[in-house]
Amino acid sequence: GLLGLGALITLIAMLVRWYWRLPPEARRAALPFAASLGVAFFPINSQHSLYIGWWFGTILLLVCAMLVAGERARLVPDPEA
């Protein structure tokens, strides 16, 4: 109900805030996953991502991949640089 909706809005706000605080190179690494999450949570598609149980695993995988890609790019120096 309302508690779940509030938690979802809080999670999205935290992820957006985290993304914009990353350095530019880490943002580039997390961008494909962030864009995929943006498509999944687009208002037309949100019914699938919020209400179908097996779709939750995909959303969770995208969130974790975005966090790992961003933090790894932030913490590990680029060998090509």
Side-chain angles (χ1 to χ4, degrees), residues 17-79:
R17 182 177 175 216
W18 169 85
Y19 179 80
W20 285 111
R21 286 183 163 201
L22 288 174
E25 63 276 357
R27 238 183 277 147
R28 273 191 299 275
L31 180 62
F33 306 108
S36 299
L37 283 168
V39 169
F41 282 117
F42 190 71
I44 295 172
N45 297 330
S46 66
Q47 298 293 325
H48 299 293
S49 60
L50 295 176
Y51 297 120
I52 297 176
W54 57 265
W55 191 246
F56 176 74
T58 304
I59 299 297
L60 186 61
L61 181 66
L62 285 172
V63 169
C64 291
M66 182 180 80
L67 292 173
V68 167
E71 289 299 318
R72 184 173 192 277
R74 185 173 67 92
L75 296 175
V76 177
D78 187 13

Short mmCIF file of all heavy atoms in Angstrom, two decimals, residues 17-79:
data_model
loop_
_atom_site.label_atom_id
_atom_site.label_comp_id
_atom_site.label_asym_id
_atom_site.label_seq_id
_atom_site.Cartn_x
_atom_site.Cartn_y
_atom_site.Cartn_z
N ARG A 17 20.08 10.26 -6.48
CA ARG A 17 21.04 11.08 -5.74
C ARG A 17 22.44 10.46 -5.79
O ARG A 17 23.44 11.14 -6.01
CB ARG A 17 20.58 11.23 -4.30
CG ARG A 17 21.47 12.08 -3.46
CD ARG A 17 20.89 12.23 -2.08
NE ARG A 17 21.82 12.96 -1.24
CZ ARG A 17 22.01 12.71 0.02
NH1 ARG A 17 21.29 11.79 0.63
NH2 ARG A 17 22.87 13.40 0.72
N TRP A 18 22.51 9.13 -5.59
CA TRP A 18 23.79 8.43 -5.65
C TRP A 18 24.41 8.58 -7.03
O TRP A 18 25.60 8.84 -7.16
CB TRP A 18 23.58 6.95 -5.30
CG TRP A 18 24.77 6.10 -5.57
CD1 TRP A 18 25.83 5.89 -4.74
CD2 TRP A 18 25.03 5.34 -6.75
NE1 TRP A 18 26.73 5.05 -5.34
CE2 TRP A 18 26.26 4.70 -6.57
CE3 TRP A 18 24.35 5.14 -7.94
CZ2 TRP A 18 26.83 3.88 -7.54
CZ3 TRP A 18 24.90 4.32 -8.89
CH2 TRP A 18 26.12 3.70 -8.70
N TYR A 19 23.60 8.41 -8.07
CA TYR A 19 24.10 8.47 -9.44
C TYR A 19 24.71 9.84 -9.74
O TYR A 19 25.79 9.94 -10.31
CB TYR A 19 22.98 8.16 -10.41
CG TYR A 19 23.40 8.22 -11.86
CD1 TYR A 19 24.08 7.17 -12.44
CD2 TYR A 19 23.15 9.35 -12.63
CE1 TYR A 19 24.49 7.23 -13.75
CE2 TYR A 19 23.54 9.41 -13.95
CZ TYR A 19 24.21 8.35 -14.51
OH TYR A 19 24.62 8.42 -15.80
N TRP A 20 24.03 10.91 -9.35
CA TRP A 20 24.52 12.25 -9.67
C TRP A 20 25.72 12.66 -8.81
O TRP A 20 26.41 13.62 -9.15
CB TRP A 20 23.40 13.27 -9.58
CG TRP A 20 22.50 13.14 -10.76
CD1 TRP A 20 21.22 12.70 -10.74
CD2 TRP A 20 22.81 13.40 -12.12
NE1 TRP A 20 20.71 12.67 -12.02
CE2 TRP A 20 21.68 13.10 -12.89
CE3 TRP A 20 23.95 13.86 -12.79
CZ2 TRP A 20 21.65 13.25 -14.27
CZ3 TRP A 20 23.91 14.01 -14.16
CH2 TRP A 20 22.77 13.70 -14.88
N ARG A 21 25.97 11.96 -7.73
CA ARG A 21 27.16 12.26 -6.90
C ARG A 21 28.41 11.53 -7.39
O ARG A 21 29.50 11.80 -6.89
CB ARG A 21 26.90 11.88 -5.45
CG ARG A 21 25.98 12.85 -4.78
CD ARG A 21 25.80 12.48 -3.34
NE ARG A 21 25.26 13.61 -2.61
CZ ARG A 21 25.35 13.76 -1.33
NH1 ARG A 21 25.95 12.85 -0.60
NH2 ARG A 21 24.83 14.81 -0.75
N LEU A 22 28.25 10.61 -8.33
CA LEU A 22 29.40 9.89 -8.87
C LEU A 22 30.24 10.81 -9.74
O LEU A 22 29.72 11.73 -10.37
CB LEU A 22 28.94 8.71 -9.72
CG LEU A 22 28.35 7.51 -9.01
CD1 LEU A 22 27.81 6.52 -10.03
CD2 LEU A 22 29.38 6.84 -8.13
N PRO A 23 31.55 10.53 -9.82
CA PRO A 23 32.38 11.27 -10.78
C PRO A 23 31.96 10.90 -12.21
O PRO A 23 31.34 9.86 -12.43
CB PRO A 23 33.81 10.77 -10.49
CG PRO A 23 33.73 9.90 -9.31
CD PRO A 23 32.32 9.64 -8.97
N PRO A 24 32.29 11.73 -13.19
CA PRO A 24 31.83 11.49 -14.56
C PRO A 24 32.19 10.11 -15.13
O PRO A 24 31.38 9.48 -15.80
CB PRO A 24 32.50 12.60 -15.37
CG PRO A 24 32.75 13.68 -14.39
CD PRO A 24 32.99 12.99 -13.07
N GLU A 25 33.39 9.62 -14.86
CA GLU A 25 33.78 8.31 -15.41
C GLU A 25 32.97 7.17 -14.78
O GLU A 25 32.63 6.19 -15.43
CB GLU A 25 35.28 8.05 -15.27
CG GLU A 25 35.80 7.97 -13.85
CD GLU A 25 36.11 9.33 -13.23
OE1 GLU A 25 35.98 10.36 -13.91
OE2 GLU A 25 36.49 9.34 -12.05
N ALA A 26 32.65 7.30 -13.50
CA ALA A 26 31.81 6.29 -12.84
C ALA A 26 30.37 6.39 -13.33
O ALA A 26 29.69 5.37 -13.47
CB ALA A 26 31.88 6.46 -11.33
N ARG A 27 29.91 7.60 -13.62
CA ARG A 27 28.56 7.78 -14.16
C ARG A 27 28.43 7.11 -15.52
O ARG A 27 27.41 6.52 -15.85
CB ARG A 27 28.24 9.26 -14.27
CG ARG A 27 27.02 9.64 -13.50
CD ARG A 27 26.66 11.07 -13.66
NE ARG A 27 27.46 11.86 -12.75
CZ ARG A 27 27.89 13.07 -12.98
NH1 ARG A 27 27.59 13.68 -14.09
NH2 ARG A 27 28.61 13.70 -12.09
N ARG A 28 29.49 7.22 -16.33
CA ARG A 28 29.48 6.56 -17.65
C ARG A 28 29.40 5.06 -17.51
O ARG A 28 28.76 4.39 -18.31
CB ARG A 28 30.72 6.96 -18.44
CG ARG A 28 30.57 8.22 -19.23
CD ARG A 28 31.71 8.40 -20.20
NE ARG A 28 33.01 8.50 -19.54
CZ ARG A 28 33.52 9.62 -19.06
NH1 ARG A 28 32.85 10.74 -19.16
NH2 ARG A 28 34.69 9.63 -18.49
N ALA A 29 30.06 4.49 -16.50
CA ALA A 29 30.03 3.04 -16.30
C ALA A 29 28.64 2.57 -15.84
O ALA A 29 28.19 1.49 -16.21
CB ALA A 29 31.09 2.62 -15.29
N ALA A 30 27.97 3.39 -15.04
CA ALA A 30 26.65 3.00 -14.52
C ALA A 30 25.51 3.38 -15.45
O ALA A 30 24.37 2.93 -15.24
CB ALA A 30 26.45 3.67 -13.15
N LEU A 31 25.78 4.18 -16.48
CA LEU A 31 24.72 4.69 -17.35
C LEU A 31 23.87 3.62 -18.03
O LEU A 31 22.64 3.75 -18.03
CB LEU A 31 25.30 5.64 -18.39
CG LEU A 31 24.29 6.25 -19.36
CD1 LEU A 31 23.29 7.10 -18.60
CD2 LEU A 31 25.00 7.06 -20.42
N PRO A 32 24.44 2.55 -18.59
CA PRO A 32 23.57 1.55 -19.24
C PRO A 32 22.54 0.94 -18.28
O PRO A 32 21.39 0.72 -18.66
CB PRO A 32 24.53 0.49 -19.76
CG PRO A 32 25.86 1.13 -19.80
CD PRO A 32 25.85 2.21 -18.76
N PHE A 33 22.96 0.69 -17.07
CA PHE A 33 22.05 0.10 -16.09
C PHE A 33 21.02 1.13 -15.61
O PHE A 33 19.86 0.80 -15.40
CB PHE A 33 22.84 -0.47 -14.92
CG PHE A 33 23.90 -1.43 -15.36
CD1 PHE A 33 25.24 -1.09 -15.29
CD2 PHE A 33 23.55 -2.66 -15.88
CE1 PHE A 33 26.22 -1.97 -15.71
CE2 PHE A 33 24.53 -3.56 -16.31
CZ PHE A 33 25.86 -3.20 -16.23
N ALA A 34 21.46 2.37 -15.43
CA ALA A 34 20.53 3.43 -15.02
C ALA A 34 19.48 3.67 -16.11
O ALA A 34 18.30 3.87 -15.80
CB ALA A 34 21.30 4.71 -14.71
N ALA A 35 19.90 3.64 -17.36
CA ALA A 35 18.95 3.83 -18.46
C ALA A 35 17.96 2.69 -18.52
O ALA A 35 16.76 2.90 -18.75
CB ALA A 35 19.70 3.96 -19.78
N SER A 36 18.43 1.47 -18.29
CA SER A 36 17.52 0.31 -18.27
C SER A 36 16.51 0.42 -17.15
O SER A 36 15.33 0.09 -17.33
CB SER A 36 18.32 -0.98 -18.12
OG SER A 36 19.20 -1.15 -19.21
N LEU A 37 16.94 0.90 -15.99
CA LEU A 37 16.01 1.11 -14.88
C LEU A 37 15.02 2.21 -15.20
O LEU A 37 13.85 2.13 -14.83
CB LEU A 37 16.77 1.44 -13.61
CG LEU A 37 17.43 0.26 -12.92
CD1 LEU A 37 18.39 0.75 -11.84
CD2 LEU A 37 16.40 -0.67 -12.34
N GLY A 38 15.48 3.25 -15.89
CA GLY A 38 14.57 4.31 -16.29
C GLY A 38 13.48 3.81 -17.22
O GLY A 38 12.31 4.18 -17.09
N VAL A 39 13.85 2.93 -18.13
CA VAL A 39 12.85 2.33 -19.03
C VAL A 39 11.91 1.42 -18.25
O VAL A 39 10.70 1.43 -18.47
CB VAL A 39 13.56 1.56 -20.16
CG1 VAL A 39 12.58 0.71 -20.94
CG2 VAL A 39 14.28 2.52 -21.09
N ALA A 40 12.45 0.66 -17.32
CA ALA A 40 11.60 -0.27 -16.54
C ALA A 40 10.61 0.47 -15.66
O ALA A 40 9.49 -0.02 -15.43
CB ALA A 40 12.48 -1.18 -15.70
N PHE A 41 11.00 1.64 -15.15
CA PHE A 41 10.11 2.39 -14.27
C PHE A 41 9.34 3.49 -14.98
O PHE A 41 8.68 4.29 -14.34
CB PHE A 41 10.88 2.98 -13.09
CG PHE A 41 11.18 1.96 -12.04
CD1 PHE A 41 12.49 1.62 -11.74
CD2 PHE A 41 10.17 1.32 -11.37
CE1 PHE A 41 12.77 0.68 -10.78
CE2 PHE A 41 10.44 0.37 -10.40
CZ PHE A 41 11.75 0.05 -10.12
N PHE A 42 9.44 3.55 -16.30
CA PHE A 42 8.66 4.52 -17.06
C PHE A 42 7.18 4.26 -16.76
O PHE A 42 6.77 3.10 -16.64
CB PHE A 42 8.96 4.37 -18.55
CG PHE A 42 8.40 5.47 -19.39
CD1 PHE A 42 8.94 6.74 -19.32
CD2 PHE A 42 7.33 5.24 -20.23
CE1 PHE A 42 8.43 7.76 -20.08
CE2 PHE A 42 6.82 6.26 -21.00
CZ PHE A 42 7.36 7.53 -20.93
N PRO A 43 6.38 5.28 -16.59
CA PRO A 43 4.99 5.07 -16.14
C PRO A 43 4.18 4.05 -16.94
O PRO A 43 3.37 3.34 -16.38
CB PRO A 43 4.37 6.47 -16.27
CG PRO A 43 5.51 7.39 -16.10
CD PRO A 43 6.70 6.68 -16.72
N ILE A 44 4.42 3.94 -18.23
CA ILE A 44 3.66 2.97 -19.02
C ILE A 44 4.05 1.54 -18.66
O ILE A 44 3.23 0.65 -18.62
CB ILE A 44 3.87 3.23 -20.52
CG1 ILE A 44 3.28 4.59 -20.88
CG2 ILE A 44 3.23 2.14 -21.37
CD1 ILE A 44 3.59 5.06 -22.27
N ASN A 45 5.34 1.32 -18.37
CA ASN A 45 5.83 -0.02 -18.08
C ASN A 45 5.85 -0.36 -16.60
O ASN A 45 6.18 -1.47 -16.24
CB ASN A 45 7.27 -0.18 -18.61
CG ASN A 45 7.33 -0.02 -20.09
OD1 ASN A 45 6.37 -0.33 -20.79
ND2 ASN A 45 8.44 0.47 -20.58
N SER A 46 5.54 0.57 -15.73
CA SER A 46 5.72 0.35 -14.30
C SER A 46 4.82 -0.75 -13.76
O SER A 46 5.13 -1.36 -12.75
CB SER A 46 5.51 1.64 -13.52
OG SER A 46 4.17 2.06 -13.63
N GLN A 47 3.70 -1.02 -14.38
CA GLN A 47 2.83 -2.09 -13.90
C GLN A 47 3.57 -3.42 -13.88
O GLN A 47 3.44 -4.19 -12.94
CB GLN A 47 1.58 -2.20 -14.80
CG GLN A 47 0.73 -0.97 -14.80
CD GLN A 47 0.06 -0.72 -13.46
OE1 GLN A 47 -0.30 -1.66 -12.77
NE2 GLN A 47 -0.06 0.52 -13.08
N HIS A 48 4.35 -3.69 -14.90
CA HIS A 48 5.08 -4.96 -14.95
C HIS A 48 6.15 -5.03 -13.87
O HIS A 48 6.31 -6.05 -13.21
CB HIS A 48 5.73 -5.15 -16.33
CG HIS A 48 4.73 -5.18 -17.43
ND1 HIS A 48 3.83 -6.20 -17.58
CD2 HIS A 48 4.48 -4.31 -18.43
CE1 HIS A 48 3.07 -5.97 -18.62
NE2 HIS A 48 3.44 -4.82 -19.16
N SER A 49 6.91 -3.95 -13.73
CA SER A 49 8.02 -4.00 -12.78
C SER A 49 7.56 -3.97 -11.33
O SER A 49 8.28 -4.40 -10.45
CB SER A 49 8.99 -2.86 -13.05
OG SER A 49 8.33 -1.62 -12.91
N LEU A 50 6.39 -3.45 -11.07
CA LEU A 50 5.94 -3.35 -9.69
C LEU A 50 5.07 -4.51 -9.24
O LEU A 50 5.07 -4.87 -8.07
CB LEU A 50 5.16 -2.04 -9.49
CG LEU A 50 5.96 -0.76 -9.67
CD1 LEU A 50 5.05 0.44 -9.55
CD2 LEU A 50 7.07 -0.69 -8.66
N TYR A 51 4.31 -5.10 -10.14
CA TYR A 51 3.29 -6.05 -9.71
C TYR A 51 3.53 -7.50 -10.12
O TYR A 51 2.83 -8.38 -9.66
CB TYR A 51 1.91 -5.60 -10.22
CG TYR A 51 1.51 -4.27 -9.66
CD1 TYR A 51 1.25 -3.20 -10.47
CD2 TYR A 51 1.41 -4.09 -8.28
CE1 TYR A 51 0.89 -1.98 -9.95
CE2 TYR A 51 1.06 -2.87 -7.75
CZ TYR A 51 0.79 -1.82 -8.59
OH TYR A 51 0.44 -0.62 -8.07
N ILE A 52 4.46 -7.76 -10.98
CA ILE A 52 4.73 -9.14 -11.38
C ILE A 52 5.94 -9.64 -10.60
O ILE A 52 7.02 -9.06 -10.69
CB ILE A 52 4.96 -9.24 -12.90
CG1 ILE A 52 3.69 -8.81 -13.64
CG2 ILE A 52 5.36 -10.65 -13.29
CD1 ILE A 52 3.82 -8.77 -15.13
N GLY A 53 5.77 -10.70 -9.86
CA GLY A 53 6.81 -11.17 -8.95
C GLY A 53 8.11 -11.55 -9.62
O GLY A 53 9.19 -11.22 -9.12
N TRP A 54 8.07 -12.23 -10.75
CA TRP A 54 9.31 -12.67 -11.37
C TRP A 54 10.08 -11.51 -11.99
O TRP A 54 11.27 -11.61 -12.24
CB TRP A 54 9.06 -13.76 -12.41
CG TRP A 54 8.12 -13.37 -13.50
CD1 TRP A 54 6.78 -13.61 -13.55
CD2 TRP A 54 8.43 -12.66 -14.71
NE1 TRP A 54 6.24 -13.10 -14.69
CE2 TRP A 54 7.23 -12.50 -15.44
CE3 TRP A 54 9.60 -12.14 -15.24
CZ2 TRP A 54 7.17 -11.85 -16.65
CZ3 TRP A 54 9.54 -11.49 -16.47
CH2 TRP A 54 8.33 -11.36 -17.15
N TRP A 55 9.44 -10.40 -12.25
CA TRP A 55 10.10 -9.23 -12.83
C TRP A 55 10.94 -8.52 -11.78
O TRP A 55 11.89 -7.81 -12.10
CB TRP A 55 9.05 -8.31 -13.42
CG TRP A 55 9.57 -7.20 -14.26
CD1 TRP A 55 9.50 -5.88 -13.98
CD2 TRP A 55 10.26 -7.29 -15.51
NE1 TRP A 55 10.09 -5.14 -14.97
CE2 TRP A 55 10.57 -5.99 -15.93
CE3 TRP A 55 10.65 -8.35 -16.31
CZ2 TRP A 55 11.25 -5.73 -17.11
CZ3 TRP A 55 11.33 -8.08 -17.49
CH2 TRP A 55 11.60 -6.79 -17.87
N PHE A 56 10.63 -8.69 -10.49
CA PHE A 56 11.38 -8.05 -9.42
C PHE A 56 12.85 -8.46 -9.44
O PHE A 56 13.73 -7.63 -9.18
CB PHE A 56 10.77 -8.39 -8.06
CG PHE A 56 11.55 -7.84 -6.91
CD1 PHE A 56 11.51 -6.49 -6.62
CD2 PHE A 56 12.34 -8.66 -6.14
CE1 PHE A 56 12.25 -5.97 -5.56
CE2 PHE A 56 13.09 -8.16 -5.08
CZ PHE A 56 13.03 -6.80 -4.79
N GLY A 57 13.13 -9.72 -9.76
CA GLY A 57 14.52 -10.18 -9.83
C GLY A 57 15.31 -9.42 -10.88
O GLY A 57 16.50 -9.10 -10.68
N THR A 58 14.69 -9.13 -12.00
CA THR A 58 15.36 -8.37 -13.06
C THR A 58 15.66 -6.95 -12.60
O THR A 58 16.75 -6.43 -12.82
CB THR A 58 14.48 -8.34 -14.33
OG1 THR A 58 14.18 -9.67 -14.70
CG2 THR A 58 15.17 -7.61 -15.46
N ILE A 59 14.68 -6.33 -11.95
CA ILE A 59 14.88 -4.97 -11.45
C ILE A 59 15.98 -4.95 -10.40
O ILE A 59 16.85 -4.07 -10.41
CB ILE A 59 13.56 -4.41 -10.87
CG1 ILE A 59 12.48 -4.34 -11.94
CG2 ILE A 59 13.77 -3.06 -10.21
CD1 ILE A 59 12.79 -3.42 -13.09
N LEU A 60 15.97 -5.92 -9.50
CA LEU A 60 17.00 -6.01 -8.46
C LEU A 60 18.38 -6.22 -9.08
O LEU A 60 19.36 -5.62 -8.64
CB LEU A 60 16.67 -7.12 -7.48
CG LEU A 60 17.55 -7.25 -6.26
CD1 LEU A 60 17.49 -5.98 -5.42
CD2 LEU A 60 17.13 -8.44 -5.43
N LEU A 61 18.47 -7.06 -10.10
CA LEU A 61 19.74 -7.29 -10.78
C LEU A 61 20.25 -6.00 -11.44
O LEU A 61 21.44 -5.70 -11.36
CB LEU A 61 19.58 -8.39 -11.84
CG LEU A 61 20.83 -8.75 -12.62
CD1 LEU A 61 21.86 -9.37 -11.69
CD2 LEU A 61 20.49 -9.69 -13.75
N LEU A 62 19.37 -5.23 -12.05
CA LEU A 62 19.78 -3.97 -12.66
C LEU A 62 20.25 -2.96 -11.61
O LEU A 62 21.23 -2.25 -11.83
CB LEU A 62 18.62 -3.37 -13.47
CG LEU A 62 18.33 -4.03 -14.81
CD1 LEU A 62 17.05 -3.46 -15.39
CD2 LEU A 62 19.48 -3.84 -15.76
N VAL A 63 19.56 -2.90 -10.48
CA VAL A 63 19.98 -1.99 -9.40
C VAL A 63 21.37 -2.39 -8.89
O VAL A 63 22.25 -1.54 -8.74
CB VAL A 63 18.95 -1.98 -8.26
CG1 VAL A 63 19.50 -1.26 -7.03
CG2 VAL A 63 17.66 -1.32 -8.71
N CYS A 64 21.56 -3.67 -8.64
CA CYS A 64 22.86 -4.13 -8.13
C CYS A 64 23.96 -3.91 -9.16
O CYS A 64 25.07 -3.50 -8.80
CB CYS A 64 22.77 -5.61 -7.75
SG CYS A 64 21.75 -5.91 -6.31
N ALA A 65 23.68 -4.16 -10.43
CA ALA A 65 24.68 -3.96 -11.48
C ALA A 65 25.06 -2.48 -11.59
O ALA A 65 26.22 -2.14 -11.78
CB ALA A 65 24.16 -4.49 -12.81
N MET A 66 24.07 -1.60 -11.47
CA MET A 66 24.34 -0.17 -11.53
C MET A 66 25.22 0.26 -10.35
O MET A 66 26.19 1.00 -10.53
CB MET A 66 23.04 0.63 -11.52
CG MET A 66 23.25 2.12 -11.64
SD MET A 66 21.75 3.08 -11.62
CE MET A 66 21.40 3.11 -9.87
N LEU A 67 24.90 -0.23 -9.16
CA LEU A 67 25.70 0.12 -7.98
C LEU A 67 27.14 -0.39 -8.10
O LEU A 67 28.09 0.32 -7.82
CB LEU A 67 25.04 -0.44 -6.72
CG LEU A 67 23.71 0.20 -6.32
CD1 LEU A 67 23.10 -0.56 -5.17
CD2 LEU A 67 23.89 1.65 -5.97
N VAL A 68 27.28 -1.63 -8.55
CA VAL A 68 28.63 -2.21 -8.68
C VAL A 68 29.43 -1.49 -9.76
O VAL A 68 30.60 -1.18 -9.55
CB VAL A 68 28.53 -3.73 -8.97
CG1 VAL A 68 29.86 -4.29 -9.41
CG2 VAL A 68 28.02 -4.47 -7.76
N ALA A 69 28.81 -1.23 -10.90
CA ALA A 69 29.53 -0.55 -11.99
C ALA A 69 29.97 0.84 -11.57
O ALA A 69 31.11 1.25 -11.83
CB ALA A 69 28.65 -0.49 -13.24
N GLY A 70 29.09 1.57 -10.92
CA GLY A 70 29.44 2.92 -10.49
C GLY A 70 30.51 2.94 -9.42
O GLY A 70 31.47 3.71 -9.49
N GLU A 71 30.38 2.10 -8.42
CA GLU A 71 31.36 2.08 -7.34
C GLU A 71 32.70 1.53 -7.81
O GLU A 71 33.74 2.01 -7.39
CB GLU A 71 30.83 1.25 -6.16
CG GLU A 71 29.71 1.93 -5.41
CD GLU A 71 30.12 3.26 -4.80
OE1 GLU A 71 31.22 3.37 -4.24
OE2 GLU A 71 29.32 4.20 -4.90
N ARG A 72 32.68 0.54 -8.68
CA ARG A 72 33.93 -0.02 -9.19
C ARG A 72 34.68 1.03 -10.00
O ARG A 72 35.89 1.19 -9.86
CB ARG A 72 33.69 -1.26 -10.03
CG ARG A 72 34.96 -1.91 -10.50
CD ARG A 72 34.67 -3.23 -11.19
NE ARG A 72 35.87 -3.98 -11.40
CZ ARG A 72 36.71 -3.78 -12.43
NH1 ARG A 72 36.44 -2.85 -13.32
NH2 ARG A 72 37.79 -4.51 -12.56
N ALA A 73 33.96 1.74 -10.86
CA ALA A 73 34.61 2.78 -11.66
C ALA A 73 35.11 3.92 -10.79
O ALA A 73 36.09 4.58 -11.13
CB ALA A 73 33.63 3.30 -12.71
N ARG A 74 34.45 4.14 -9.68
CA ARG A 74 34.88 5.21 -8.77
C ARG A 74 36.10 4.80 -7.96
O ARG A 74 37.00 5.60 -7.71
CB ARG A 74 33.74 5.58 -7.83
CG ARG A 74 34.04 6.75 -6.93
CD ARG A 74 32.82 7.17 -6.14
NE ARG A 74 32.41 6.16 -5.18
CZ ARG A 74 32.83 6.13 -3.93
NH1 ARG A 74 33.65 7.05 -3.48
NH2 ARG A 74 32.40 5.20 -3.12
N LEU A 75 36.19 3.54 -7.56
CA LEU A 75 37.24 3.08 -6.66
C LEU A 75 38.46 2.53 -7.38
O LEU A 75 39.58 2.62 -6.87
CB LEU A 75 36.68 2.03 -5.71
CG LEU A 75 35.59 2.51 -4.75
CD1 LEU A 75 35.04 1.34 -3.95
CD2 LEU A 75 36.11 3.59 -3.84
N VAL A 76 38.27 1.90 -8.54
CA VAL A 76 39.37 1.28 -9.26
C VAL A 76 39.80 2.22 -10.39
O VAL A 76 38.99 2.57 -11.23
CB VAL A 76 38.94 -0.09 -9.85
CG1 VAL A 76 40.05 -0.71 -10.66
CG2 VAL A 76 38.49 -1.02 -8.73
N PRO A 77 41.08 2.60 -10.42
CA PRO A 77 41.53 3.50 -11.48
C PRO A 77 41.47 2.80 -12.85
O PRO A 77 41.67 1.60 -12.96
CB PRO A 77 42.96 3.85 -11.09
CG PRO A 77 43.38 2.82 -10.11
CD PRO A 77 42.13 2.27 -9.48
N ASP A 78 41.20 3.60 -13.88
CA ASP A 78 41.12 3.09 -15.25
C ASP A 78 42.52 2.76 -15.74
O ASP A 78 43.40 3.63 -15.76
CB ASP A 78 40.45 4.14 -16.13
CG ASP A 78 40.17 3.62 -17.52
OD1 ASP A 78 40.26 2.40 -17.74
OD2 ASP A 78 39.83 4.43 -18.39
N PRO A 79 42.78 1.53 -16.21
CA PRO A 79 44.14 1.16 -16.65
C PRO A 79 44.53 1.88 -17.94
O PRO A 79 45.71 2.00 -18.24
CB PRO A 79 44.06 -0.35 -16.85
CG PRO A 79 42.62 -0.66 -17.02
CD PRO A 79 41.87 0.39 -16.26
#
